[in-house]
Amino acid sequence: LFLILMAKADDKKEYIVTGSDTTKTKSFNLENKSKFSSFTVSGSWTDNFGNYGKNKCFGLFTTYKDKSINLNMKCESIDYKGNKSWSVINRESKEFDAGVGVNKYVDGTGPWKYLIGTECKYGIKYFEEANYSVEKCKISEKTYNELSKN
């Protein structure tokens, strides 16, 4: 999964983020074998421009009888200089433990404001309450130049 997302990592007009988080979940089990869950996430990230920071997220997901999921999450990331970005993450998968989804940047400060409107694909894999992710997206020349000022 991660290899697919990293396949063309040498293309200099891409933004690539790797992260590791822990997740806390609260759930209701439904009679029809589905499950409604809310969760919080906190962790850290690095990118291909040498930036790093921490993030926190909250969201909801439904796990259906066939184990497929529908996830919607809101996140705030802060870099080591205090700049922030906010994003919305969606994923529909055949299972919770691994999958591919979309992260859309909706607001930001400092260099992250140049990512507003950018949609990135991500892959994620869980191990117990921890997860590991890789996000990758094409970025404009202007965004590339702004992020390169690190």
Side-chain angles (χ1 to χ4, degrees), residues 78-135:
I78 184 167
D79 69 20
Y80 68 101
K81 293 179 180 177
N83 296 303
K84 293 182 179 181
S85 68
W86 294 271
S87 60
V88 174
I89 297 175
N90 291 293
R91 175 164 69 98
E92 291 188 28
S93 289
K94 296 291 181 196
E95 62 178 296
F96 179 79
D97 291 342
V100 176
V102 175
N103 181 21
K104 182 175 182 179
Y105 289 89
V106 296
D107 203 359
T109 65
W112 310 117
K113 65 185 171 191
Y114 296 95
L115 285 174
I116 295 171
T118 302
E119 290 189 8
C120 304
K121 290 190 178 189
Y122 75 92
I124 193 162
K125 179 73 178 154
Y126 284 83
F127 173 67
E128 297 177 355
E129 72 279 348
N131 70 64
Y132 307 91
S133 62
V134 176
E135 173 184 314

Side-chain angles (χ1 to χ4, degrees), residues 25 35-39 59-63 69-72 96:
T25 306
K35 186 189 309 187
F36 293 158
S37 302
S38 67
F39 61 95
L60 300 170
F61 69 92
T62 301
T63 307
I69 68 140
N70 181 306
L71 175 140
N72 183 287
F96 179 79

Side-chain angles (χ1 to χ4, degrees), residues 1-8 136:
L1 178 64
F2 295 140
L3 294 176
I4 294 169
L5 289 172
M6 297 297 291
K8 295 184 181 178
K136 183 175 168 182

Side-chain angles (χ1 to χ4, degrees), residues 47-69:
D47 70 18
N48 59 321
F49 290 93
N51 297 302
Y52 58 92
K54 58 185 180 176
N55 60 281
K56 57 186 176 184
C57 308
F58 61 86
L60 300 170
F61 69 92
T62 301
T63 307
Y64 299 99
K65 184 169 57 172
D66 66 358
K67 304 295 184 203
S68 64
I69 68 140

